Amino acid sequence: MDISVVVPLFNEEESLRELHAWIKRVMDENSFTYEVIFVDDGSTDASWKVLCDLQKEFSEVHAIRFRRNYGKSPALYCGFAKAEGEVVITMDADLQDSPDEIPELRRMIVEDGYDLVSGYKMNRSKGDPLSKTIPTKLFNATARKVSGIKNLHDFNCGLKAYRKIVVKNIEVFGEMHRYIPYLAKEAGFSRIGEKMVHHQARKHGKSKFMGWNRFVNGYLDLLTLWFLSTFGKKPMHVFGFLGTLMFLIGFVSVLVVGGTKLVCICRDIPHPLVTSSPYFYIALTMMILGTQLFVAGFLGDLVSRNSKDRNKYHIAEEF
Ligand code: UDP
Ligand code: MG
């Protein structure tokens, strides 16, 4: 099979038929063999009914229904598990992403040798308020920096194409769908490209991701990913380092407090209480913090040693 199209959706009843017809037209025009996997992320409208009707008419339509709303990442994860096409395309269900881009995206994977091609919505501000576009710019700049993937402008674009092996080797969890290129890179798929894609305003319904809190969460996720990819298998390296640093500062402070006291006693000059020195408090907090960080490091190592992924390495080839 040439292509699997994976579509995560949450309450998109008005768009599904049109989206399917559009995908079908593009596929037929290019005579691709394909399947469309809709993942209904716990919709409460008639989305599932529409999908059931579609499946009755078209055998290439497949669907998964979550019992409740889990989020876009879990939806993609399950769609990826089911996908069988050589190239896997993801797109949003709201008709913002154009299926007309599919042939070129596929070509970039098959002929140009990319592992992943991400869409880049050039004039994405169409229909989006400023409160969404400014954070998006900030977000992409940070993601580029942290992930080291310098050529991507639009990490969060729903329209992406993957070589099948990529989707079978990454684990999209939580809200990490924003960082799939980063996940792919961490799994050793470094040929990551970008294609400018046409993009239109949402036709029906409202965006499911609004407001600033998605950016706070987005940044926290990025921090987690960075931490996991850098220290995930060696937590003691970060906690131990910080712990040692704190402990040293504490230790020096103890020397200062104790030393001053000792000098005063030897010279028999009047000496204030140790608690009147700021170093006393610095010593106290730093030594406690240092010890705590060490304990956290040991616990982190304990957890990572017992995790089922502790020996999970991505193997590129094997005989
Ligand atoms: N979506 C989903 N689960 C959710 C939220 C959204 O499957 O919990 C789907 C949604 O139906 C759409 C895609 O993810 O197909 C992108 O969502 P949306 O268009 O609301 O995001 P935006 O384009 O505004 O970033
Ligand atoms: Mg959208």
Side-chain angles (χ1 to χ4, degrees), residues 7-12 39-41 69-73 75 91-94 96 121 124 128 132 156 199 202 206-210 214:
V7 184
L9 63 113
F10 178 52
N11 293 343
E12 310 278 6
V39 188
D40 179 350
D41 183 14
N69 178 240
Y70 285 101
K72 192 174 173 182
S73 293
M91 58 170 54
D92 291 354
D94 54 5
Q96 284 188 283
K121 290 171 280 182
R124 71 160 291 143
D128 279 350
K132 196 164 172 174
N156 198 17
H199 165 246
R202 207 177 225 283
K206 279 192 306 211
S207 169
K208 273 83 195 172
F209 298 103
M210 272 307 194
R214 79 179 196 139

Side-chain angles (χ1 to χ4, degrees), residues 214-234:
R214 79 179 196 139
F215 288 97
V216 176
N217 294 342
Y219 275 118
L220 292 177
D221 283 345
L222 188 59
L223 212 64
T224 307
L225 264 193
W226 168 81
F227 181 81
L228 286 180
S229 74
T230 324
F231 298 109
K233 289 205 161 75
K234 42 183 190 315

Side-chain angles (χ1 to χ4, degrees), residues 8 24 60 89 153 162 175 180 185 201 204 226 316:
K24 182 169 165 42
E60 75 278 3
I89 306 266
H153 295 85
Y162 309 80
E175 299 205 5
I180 296 182
K185 186 180 169 232
H204 309 282
W226 168 81

Side-chain angles (χ1 to χ4, degrees), residues 35-73:
E35 62 180 354
V36 186
I37 302 169
F38 289 100
V39 188
D40 179 350
D41 183 14
S43 296
T44 49
D45 64 356
S47 294
W48 184 250
K49 167 134 201 335
V50 177
L51 293 177
C52 293
D53 292 347
L54 275 176
Q55 148 62 219
K56 279 185 207 128
E57 275 174 72
F58 306 99
S59 62
E60 75 278 3
V61 171
H62 301 280
I64 299 170
R65 182 171 74 92
F66 286 168
R67 204 169 288 283
R68 69 170 180 85
N69 178 240
Y70 285 101
K72 192 174 173 182
S73 293

Side-chain angles (χ1 to χ4, degrees), residues 124-125 127-137 210 212 215:
R124 71 160 291 143
S125 40
D128 279 350
L130 270 186
S131 67
K132 196 164 172 174
T133 51
I134 293 176
T136 300
K137 280 213 160 61
M210 272 307 194
W212 281 88
F215 288 97

